[in-house]
Amino acid sequence: MAGRLLLRAWTLRALQPGCIAAARPLHRAMSSLGGIPTDEDQATGLERRTLQALKQGKDPYSIQKPKHYAGTKEDPHIVPSIGNKRLVGCLCEEDNTAIVWFWLHEGDAQRCPSCGSHYKLVHHELPH
Ligand SMILES: [Zn+2]
């Protein structure tokens, strides 16, 4: 409230004849700067690197929805890993309440011991 009153008093003073301050605009309009800045214009640091990578078609932080795989020998579920093995949980059927856990090792595709779906470990580099 006090800020508005101060602005109003400043505006009224600026509109008086002979006042030098009237020549200066009191505020800059967004249109004079080229419009409203986008997220990409305002992003800094990690967010900026992520937006640039997404623009190039990369997904270094696994932000986007994972691709769906059939789980067959020809189209195994791809499991990214920074090491040479990873613990995988398979929900064999859609309505199962129990998860089958097993270690997936680097190399050829492995099968889930319960349902037989194929999983393949793929080396994944961390972006930084
Ligand atoms: Zn399974």
Side-chain angles (χ1 to χ4, degrees), residues 90 92 112 115:
C90 182
C92 299
C112 169
C115 69

Side-chain angles (χ1 to χ4, degrees), residues 90-93 100 102 112-117 119:
C90 182
L91 195 62
C92 299
E93 292 177 20
V100 177
F102 61 97
C112 169
S114 179
C115 69
S117 291
Y119 290 86

Side-chain angles (χ1 to χ4, degrees), residues 59-113:
D59 187 18
Y61 300 101
S62 302
I63 294 172
Q64 295 180 338
K65 182 182 172 190
K67 186 183 170 199
H68 180 75
Y69 301 99
T72 60
K73 191 172 185 178
E74 295 79 28
D75 188 23
H77 297 287
I78 300 297
V79 179
S81 175
I82 58 171
N84 57 1
K85 67 178 181 178
R86 187 167 177 187
L87 190 62
V88 175
C90 182
L91 195 62
C92 299
E93 292 177 20
E94 195 172 313
D95 295 336
N96 273 6
T97 55
I99 299 173
V100 177
W101 295 97
F102 61 97
W103 282 101
L104 183 64
H105 296 272
E106 200 170 22
D108 292 336
Q110 289 178 237
R111 298 183 73 183
C112 169

